[in-house]
Amino acid sequence: MRVINFNAGPAGLPLPALEQARDELLDFHGTGMSIMEHSHRGKDYEGVHDEAIALLTELLGIPSTHEVLFLTGGASQQFAQVPMNFLSPGASADYLMTGVWSEKALDEAKFFGTPRVAATTVQADKRYQRVPKQSELQLDPRAAYVHLTSNNTIFGSQWHTFPDVGSVPLVADMSSDFLWRPTDVSRFAFIYAGAQKNLGPSGVTLIIAAKDFLAKGRKDIPKYFRYTTHSENHSLYNTPPTLAIYLVRNVLAWAKELGGLPALEQRNREKADLLYGAIDRNAGFYRAPVERESRSVMNVVFHLPTEELDAAFVAQAKQAQMVGLKGHRTAGGIRVSMYNAVSPQDVKTLTSFMDHFVKMHG
Amino acid sequence: MRVINFNAGPAGLPLPALEQARDELLDFHGTGMSIMEHSHRGKDYEGVHDEAIALLTELLGIPSTHEVLFLTGGASQQFAQVPMNFLSPGASADYLMTGVWSEKALDEAKFFGTPRVAATTVQADKRYQRVPKQSELQLDPRAAYVHLTSNNTIFGSQWHTFPDVGSVPLVADMSSDFLWRPTDVSRFAFIYAGAQKNLGPSGVTLIIAAKDFLAKGRKDIPKYFRYTTHSENHSLYNTPPTLAIYLVRNVLAWAKELGGLPALEQRNREKADLLYGAIDRNAGFYRAPVERESRSVMNVVFHLPTEELDAAFVAQAKQAQMVGLKGHRTAGGIRVSMYNAVSPQDVKTLTSFMDHFVKMHG
């Protein structure tokens, strides 16, 4: 029996995508071998690779000015690889600080140039409970780029409207909310996302980048770390993580079948309404620290009256086949991650449990 | 029906490792979710992670002076990451040139210091048909390290005895022959290998490194690229490629069940004897360019009298359910990759076909 999986990532994946992988695991399309046993230079794997890119292009409406790359190393490698390519000694880039992942990205950029904090919502307790308003941004028009984290997995906040950064290239770490709704890709010079939330297993990193931005990358860095190397080789410069890309393909096919990004947005908003509704109607018991306008649709953080009740909540939910609810050690409390594969019915099961828990312990 | 897979990598994997993955794909050990849906910080995945390291440590007899890391990006990323960590501006490192992959490793090192070619067997036609003899090495005792490629996938040569490099740390790219036989790990400061030959699917890179060598790595590089970061965090600094590591675990368990590295060495030598035997007894038809003492046990390269016959050989073998035999574009001809998962019976099927092919076309 499958449990209800609220893990923060790696996260639950759509059952049809997994069933397809299981059914084809020993023999992909009658070829007598698994997709992971195929050469990355053969037509069978290349068909999967190209289909993953085509599905993503179709779902997001990626314009011809932009392209898709598959890399590895997760967002953590991109924290360093982005400034390695686009930030030169003495040059600056603007970082918008909204959580732990923004901090890590900023720290890596310091090895290459002079990143600036152009906005931060950090509190005295080192936590973040909202994203900045446009009026709070102190942007430098000469910055090499502006970097933001679109969704903050740990604290549970999210940019619902992306800031206006003028003509400076906008770079976004979308690891934890990529593909949750239709997105105007043309506003971004560079989007990156580890796959292990909405897209597939860990082990592959998605990039969507403006071709003219990639062309501005430094040439005096190792070939492997230049984005242009992977762009020129269609993400086949070296052996890509073929099995992970195949699973991403399966997940994208499921997303298309479901109705694409408009349907996913509706589904995700329905789940968020259900969950924040349960918190707000029991506001004396459940406390959500994130400001209302910054509440994340993907990761919902809240606290019960005591840490003992937090722990009891997690334990009893697990007995009811709901897992992954313990908050990140930095934020504490409860965290409910509701990525694309989580259904509204899954969330209803949780909110019923939440209402019942209040009656028992409130 | 499964075919006989002689792919150069990604390569065929042991059937029991794949069957286990298939059977557990929707529900790992009764947890109600796939291993790829588990948190990398949870005890279920950590059990897999630790077991993969323990199996590798047991199989290779890795001493306590060394440790295992799981990274990503394949050997190609290591070509740059090794000198980023261990080569400083103005310092030199010795590279032993035996093929295309050595060349790529050397080229990336030039971005960080002054690598030297301490030996090369390159020919006027840019091919390599042997590895250097000890007497040909012009080693610099002040080098930061000596780098070699233990097996040359493209040209089909292999170091059967590793060179004596004195007290200079020895770094080896073992991507295409890692784990083919017992190996004295203590002779190496740093071993790296993409998994997609003997170990598992593409998407995870294995490192075995001396702890005192890692400690000498540069501190003025991004945190993500420091090996010490991953060492200090037990390869869990960021989300590792959990599914790929799980599959490596399955392959290692199969290797142990088979009898470990002594049994694998016997199996691999039997296959090599079978295949080189078929070439040598038909030496007027099949021509193996690599010098006898440097012949690879993993990748066997040979040519038929004409390119048309090369093509006919590949096509007819495919009809007989044997795939992956076309040589790399750089070397031409036929390449038979006989990684650990290929059985002696598979090779006997091929050598029978080879003898028959000579009768028909010789």
Side-chain angles (χ1 to χ4, degrees):
Chain A
M1 202 198 74
R2 301 258 301 165
V3 296
I4 299 180
N5 185 343
F6 293 114
N7 274 341
L13 295 175
L15 189 57
L18 292 176
E19 287 172 333
Q20 183 178 1
R22 178 198 58 194
D23 295 345
E24 298 180 338
L25 203 76
L26 302 189
D27 186 358
F28 175 74
H29 289 193
T31 57
M33 58 179 100
S34 179
I35 189 65
M36 72 183 104
E37 300 175 300
H38 272 276
S39 170
H40 59 298
R41 310 258 177 233
K43 67 176 171 42
D44 295 288
Y45 172 71
E46 282 187 356
V48 168
H49 191 90
D50 292 346
E51 193 185 343
I53 294 170
L55 280 164
L56 197 61
T57 303
E58 180 185 347
L59 286 166
L60 273 166
I62 300 173
S64 61
T65 49
H66 285 58
E67 67 182 302
V68 175
L69 299 179
F70 295 122
L71 299 179
T72 60
S76 295
Q77 181 163 330
Q78 295 308 309
F79 295 162
Q81 199 169 346
V82 164
M84 187 191 290
N85 275 265
F86 302 115
L87 192 56
S88 297
S92 76
D94 280 352
Y95 278 71
L96 310 184
M97 309 305 292
T98 55
V100 172
W101 303 108
S102 309
E103 292 173 0
K104 287 179 186 272
L106 175 72
D107 285 344
E108 296 288 49
K110 291 174 185 168
F111 288 96
F112 300 99
T114 314
R116 281 177 69 242
V117 172
T120 179
T121 52
V122 71
Q123 304 177 156
D125 63 0
K126 298 189 178 172
R127 297 183 185 193
Y128 297 77
Q129 294 178 351
R130 63 182 184 90
V131 302
K133 296 180 182 65
Q134 179 77 37
S135 59
E136 294 174 287
L137 311 186
Q138 301 193 309
L139 297 169
D140 174 2
R142 295 156 306 169
Y145 57 83
V146 177
H147 181 281
L148 64 79
T149 312
S150 60
N151 182 73
N152 300 286
T153 336
I154 293 175
F155 294 109
S157 64
Q158 188 175 24
W159 289 89
H160 289 284
T161 308
F162 290 112
D164 178 358
V165 296
S167 60
V168 176
L170 183 56
V171 174
D173 171 7
M174 291 196 183
S175 292
S176 59
D177 68 354
F178 186 69
L179 221 59
W180 82 273
R181 64 168 176 183
T183 302
D184 181 2
V185 167
S186 71
R187 290 194 57 189
F188 297 87
F190 195 95
I191 293 169
Y192 62 94
Q196 66 270 17
K197 319 283 187 174
N198 277 337
L199 272 171
S202 60
V204 59
T205 311
L206 245 85
I207 311 279
I208 302 175
K211 294 171 187 172
D212 61 359
F213 185 64
L214 293 187
K216 288 195 289 185
R218 291 175 62 170
K219 313 282 183 288
D220 60 343
I221 60 174
K223 188 168 184 184
Y224 183 81
F225 290 126
R226 285 176 235 158
Y227 294 112
T228 49
T229 297
H230 301 283
S231 165
E232 288 159 9
N233 291 281
H234 195 52
S235 301
L236 291 162
Y237 170 68
N238 65 328
T239 317
T242 55
L243 178 61
I245 293 169
Y246 159 81
L247 282 154
V248 167
R249 195 280 312 256
N250 290 3
V251 172
L252 294 172
W254 165 84
K256 181 179 173 180
E257 178 74 19
L258 199 78
L261 300 192
L264 275 170
E265 178 172 15
Q266 189 179 16
R267 174 182 166 100
N268 285 322
R269 289 199 186 280
E270 180 184 350
K271 294 183 306 192
D273 288 346
L274 284 165
L275 187 48
Y276 286 113
I279 292 169
D280 292 343
R281 73 173 164 263
N282 298 297
F285 190 77
Y286 299 117
R287 182 175 53 84
V290 172
E291 289 189 12
R292 196 166 290 260
E293 313 80 62
S294 295
R295 282 176 165 183
S296 171
V297 166
M298 297 277 104
N299 311 94
V300 180
V301 172
F302 59 91
H303 299 265
L304 278 67
T306 67
E307 288 185 10
E308 289 68 31
L309 283 169
D310 287 340
F313 183 95
V314 170
Q316 290 179 35
K318 190 167 184 186
Q319 289 182 335
Q321 307 297 317
M322 290 178 282
V323 304
L325 292 168
K326 190 167 187 287
H328 189 275
R329 61 188 181 282
T330 312
I334 306 296
R335 172 172 56 178
V336 185
S337 297
M338 306 186 296
Y339 298 119
N340 285 350
V342 171
S343 72
Q345 186 54 52
D346 293 337
V347 178
K348 280 180 196 161
T349 304
L350 176 63
T351 55
S352 297
F353 171 83
M354 287 170 69
D355 288 336
H356 181 71
F357 197 89
V358 175
K359 279 187 199 132
M360 302 302 289
H361 301 276
Chain B
M1 202 197 74
R2 300 260 300 167
V3 296
I4 298 180
N5 185 342
F6 293 114
N7 275 340
L13 294 175
L15 188 58
L18 292 176
E19 286 172 335
Q20 183 178 2
R22 178 199 58 195
D23 295 345
E24 298 179 338
L25 204 77
L26 302 189
D27 185 358
F28 175 75
H29 289 192
T31 57
M33 59 179 99
S34 179
I35 189 65
M36 71 183 106
E37 300 175 301
H38 271 276
S39 169
H40 58 299
R41 309 252 178 240
K43 68 177 169 44
D44 295 288
Y45 172 71
E46 282 188 355
V48 167
H49 191 89
D50 292 345
E51 193 185 342
I53 293 170
L55 280 165
L56 197 61
T57 302
E58 179 185 347
L59 286 166
L60 274 164
I62 299 173
S64 62
T65 49
H66 285 59
E67 67 181 303
V68 175
L69 300 178
F70 295 122
L71 299 179
T72 60
S76 294
Q77 180 163 330
Q78 295 309 308
F79 296 161
Q81 198 169 347
V82 164
M84 187 192 288
N85 276 267
F86 301 114
L87 192 56
S88 297
S92 76
D94 280 352
Y95 278 70
L96 309 185
M97 310 303 292
T98 55
V100 171
W101 303 109
S102 309
E103 292 172 359
K104 288 181 187 270
L106 176 71
D107 285 345
E108 296 289 49
K110 291 173 185 168
F111 289 96
F112 299 98
T114 314
R116 281 176 70 243
V117 172
T120 179
T121 51
V122 71
Q123 304 175 157
D125 64 359
K126 296 189 177 170
R127 297 185 184 191
Y128 298 75
Q129 294 178 350
R130 63 183 184 89
V131 300
K133 296 181 183 63
Q134 178 77 37
S135 59
E136 294 175 289
L137 310 186
Q138 301 193 310
L139 297 170
D140 175 0
R142 293 155 308 171
Y145 56 83
V146 177
H147 180 281
L148 63 80
T149 314
S150 61
N151 181 73
N152 300 285
T153 337
I154 292 176
F155 295 110
S157 64
Q158 189 175 24
W159 290 88
H160 288 285
T161 307
F162 290 112
D164 179 359
V165 297
S167 61
V168 176
L170 183 57
V171 174
D173 171 8
M174 291 196 184
S175 292
S176 59
D177 68 352
F178 186 71
L179 222 59
W180 82 272
R181 65 168 176 182
T183 302
D184 180 3
V185 167
S186 69
R187 291 195 56 189
F188 297 87
F190 194 94
I191 293 168
Y192 62 95
Q196 66 270 17
K197 320 283 187 172
N198 278 337
L199 272 170
S202 62
V204 58
T205 311
L206 245 85
I207 311 279
I208 302 175
K211 294 171 186 172
D212 61 357
F213 185 64
L214 293 187
K216 288 194 290 184
R218 290 175 61 169
K219 313 282 182 290
D220 59 344
I221 59 175
K223 188 169 185 184
Y224 184 80
F225 290 126
R226 283 175 237 158
Y227 294 111
T228 47
T229 298
H230 301 283
S231 165
E232 287 158 9
N233 289 281
H234 196 52
S235 301
L236 290 163
Y237 171 67
N238 65 328
T239 317
T242 55
L243 177 61
I245 293 169
Y246 160 80
L247 282 155
V248 167
R249 195 280 311 253
N250 290 3
V251 171
L252 294 172
W254 165 84
K256 181 180 173 180
E257 178 75 21
L258 199 77
L261 300 193
L264 276 170
E265 177 172 16
Q266 189 178 17
R267 174 183 166 101
N268 285 321
R269 290 200 186 278
E270 180 185 351
K271 294 182 310 190
D273 288 345
L274 284 165
L275 187 48
Y276 285 113
I279 291 169
D280 292 344
R281 72 172 165 264
N282 298 297
F285 190 77
Y286 299 117
R287 184 176 52 82
V290 172
E291 289 189 13
R292 197 166 290 259
E293 313 79 62
S294 295
R295 282 176 165 182
S296 170
V297 166
M298 296 277 104
N299 310 95
V300 180
V301 172
F302 58 91
H303 298 266
L304 277 66
T306 66
E307 287 185 11
E308 289 69 29
L309 283 168
D310 285 341
F313 182 95
V314 170
Q316 290 180 32
K318 190 167 184 184
Q319 288 181 334
Q321 308 297 317
M322 289 178 282
V323 305
L325 292 168
K326 191 166 186 287
H328 189 275
R329 61 189 181 281
T330 311
I334 307 296
R335 173 173 55 181
V336 185
S337 298
M338 306 186 297
Y339 298 119
N340 285 352
V342 171
S343 72
Q345 187 54 52
D346 293 337
V347 178
K348 280 179 194 161
T349 304
L350 176 62
T351 55
S352 297
F353 171 83
M354 287 170 69
D355 289 334
H356 181 71
F357 197 89
V358 174
K359 281 187 196 130
M360 304 301 288
H361 301 276

